[in-house]
Amino acid sequence: MSIHVLHVFSLPEQFGRLYDAYFQYFQQIRFLLIGRTIDFIKSHDPWNCKTLESILIAIILVLLFVIRFWTTSPSCLLKKDSKRARTALQALQTVIVPSCSLWPARYIKLVKHTSNHRTGSRIVVPLAMLLQDVCDGVIELRDPLYDLEDLIDQGVRAYGCSVSLKVEWKWWVEWLDRMLRGDVSAPPPSTDYGTIIDLNNHPLTHLATIQLPQGSRTTLEFTSLSNHIPFLSTKHIFCVIPFLAHRLPHRLSDVLATINDTPQLKLSTLTNTSAVYADALAALSTKITYDPVARQQCADALSVEGWRKRRLMLEFEAALMLRGWLERWNVVLEAR
């Protein structure tokens, strides 16, 4: 009789492992609960003792099965997904904050996509979306300068998640379009002897137009891509983003080669001023952000959206400087 009862209440193979894992608890249940229950039933019922014990063990196994697998039910998984989504949103909020009380739906979608990946928690924000939303005033960066420095590289880590940027193919297309459109027309020859010339506003051919009295000097200032940035790599695209609306940065090697090919000029000194320039960019961004007069002047000149973009590009360029992907150089030239 007891054998048939055990067969009726037999369970899958998982219960064998479950029984082994909780063997001590089964022994306690057997001696503390089953024994007393059987003693009570024997005093009122003539059933076989072994049969009753088998029934009780099968019932307890079923209860343990329910408890064990309850945590893997859909409702529990939804709770876990909800917890992961909240954690991912907390991580995103360490970098980005919405300008109003509600998050845009596209950022909620990013968070949900992250929470659905069991093996990792990586929030990848499309670069174009981030830049456009900042310029539109939809979102703000908490600490733009230092967050951007991390976002463009390995990402920002918080609450066990990683927040990073994705460079879409459109940026390579924009770079190509900018290259095909070429440089703006060269300005007239410079006659400002001894002044500082911002080479970012001029093509390299401008060096041949500089006319100085013999022995006099002039200073070139320019931003260049670091020599370790591979051409058309993701880092390269990051570096040209602040310059897409203007003139693309020169490479130091190209500038030096052009100086050597310019017979009326010779190189006097070459100084890397990247750290100082990064501080100047950050200071300018702070000024047009918090100085009401400077902020209003910038907004009047560029519009509110243009003011936001100007501030963002200053911070973006400063972050690239701090990362070492862009470099700022001062070159003192002397007339032969």
Side-chain angles (χ1 to χ4, degrees):
M1 178 66 177
S2 60
I3 296 177
H4 292 293
V5 172
L6 281 173
H7 177 74
V8 171
F9 287 97
S10 62
L11 294 168
E13 181 182 354
Q14 292 92 328
F15 288 102
R17 295 193 296 269
L18 189 65
Y19 182 84
D20 294 336
Y22 295 94
F23 178 76
Q24 289 184 331
Y25 298 103
F26 276 104
Q27 293 300 317
Q28 292 177 3
I29 292 172
R30 177 184 177 88
F31 291 107
L32 297 179
L33 177 62
I34 299 178
R36 294 185 180 182
T37 304
I38 291 175
D39 290 341
F40 174 80
I41 294 176
K42 284 171 61 179
S43 63
H44 295 81
D45 195 294
W47 283 15
N48 182 275
C49 175
K50 293 293 184 180
T51 300
L52 294 175
E53 183 178 354
S54 300
I55 293 174
L56 289 175
I57 291 175
I59 292 173
I60 293 170
L61 287 174
V62 171
L63 291 175
L64 289 174
F65 172 81
V66 172
I67 294 172
R68 167 65 179 81
F69 291 96
W70 176 263
T71 57
T72 60
S73 64
S75 61
C76 288
L77 291 178
L78 288 175
K79 291 180 181 178
K80 290 181 180 179
D81 288 343
S82 177
K83 183 178 180 181
R84 278 192 290 266
R86 287 195 301 270
T87 301
L89 187 60
Q90 285 178 313
L92 188 62
Q93 284 178 323
T94 63
V95 181
I96 302 170
V97 290
S99 56
C100 63
S101 58
L102 296 178
W103 277 94
R106 49 191 173 275
Y107 290 92
I108 299 298
K109 184 178 179 180
L110 286 177
V111 167
K112 288 183 177 179
H113 178 75
T114 299
S115 65
N116 288 334
H117 284 71
R118 306 284 192 270
T119 58
S121 297
R122 186 175 176 224
I123 306 170
V124 181
V125 182
L127 177 61
M129 184 175 80
L130 177 75
L131 298 183
Q132 188 62 54
D133 285 344
V134 171
C135 292
D136 291 342
V138 176
I139 62 169
E140 295 240 355
L141 294 166
R142 280 191 182 274
D143 193 347
L145 182 59
Y146 296 104
D147 285 341
L148 283 171
E149 184 184 358
D150 291 330
L151 284 172
I152 62 177
D153 194 15
Q154 298 297 323
V156 177
R157 293 202 60 82
Y159 296 96
C161 299
S162 173
V163 183
S164 57
L165 294 176
K166 174 186 177 182
V167 181
E168 306 94 326
W169 281 107
K170 72 179 288 292
W171 295 107
W172 276 270
V173 175
E174 289 200 24
W175 172 86
L176 179 60
D177 177 68
R178 181 66 185 79
M179 291 295 293
L180 292 176
R181 284 190 286 115
D183 291 331
V184 296
S185 58
S190 172
T191 56
D192 296 327
Y193 305 141
T195 61
I196 296 176
I197 300 174
D198 188 351
L199 198 57
N200 285 352
N201 299 325
H202 302 275
L204 291 179
T205 54
H206 178 68
L207 293 177
T209 69
I210 298 176
Q211 301 296 326
L212 297 173
Q214 187 176 7
S216 62
R217 295 184 175 189
T218 190
T219 301
L220 301 180
E221 291 185 345
F222 62 93
T223 300
S224 72
L225 276 71
S226 175
N227 287 331
H228 71 266
I229 300 298
F231 182 65
L232 285 185
S233 64
T234 300
K235 291 182 179 180
H236 180 262
I237 295 301
F238 272 129
C239 290
V240 301
I241 283 175
F243 305 94
L244 286 174
H246 309 286
R247 187 176 299 278
L248 297 176
H250 305 293
R251 286 191 179 269
L252 176 61
S253 57
D254 295 335
V255 175
L256 295 180
T258 304
I259 293 173
N260 289 333
D261 293 338
T262 306
Q264 71 271 24
L265 299 173
K266 67 177 181 179
L267 178 65
S268 177
T269 62
L270 175 65
T271 307
N272 188 321
T273 59
S274 301
V276 175
Y277 189 65
D279 290 340
L281 291 172
L284 181 55
S285 174
T286 299
K287 182 178 180 180
I288 66 174
T289 301
Y290 298 106
D291 185 322
V293 176
R295 180 174 63 242
Q296 189 61 50
Q297 289 175 345
C298 188
D300 291 342
L302 303 175
S303 77
V304 175
E305 292 79 8
W307 163 73
R308 293 195 192 103
K309 183 175 181 179
R310 170 65 173 158
R311 183 183 61 175
L312 177 61
M313 289 299 103
L314 286 171
E315 294 159 347
F316 205 102
E317 186 178 353
L320 291 166
M321 287 280 175
L322 292 174
R323 181 56 61 185
W325 298 357
L326 287 180
E327 298 170 345
R328 185 73 174 183
W329 295 94
N330 280 15
V331 178
V332 176
L333 299 179
E334 183 178 343
R336 296 181 187 273

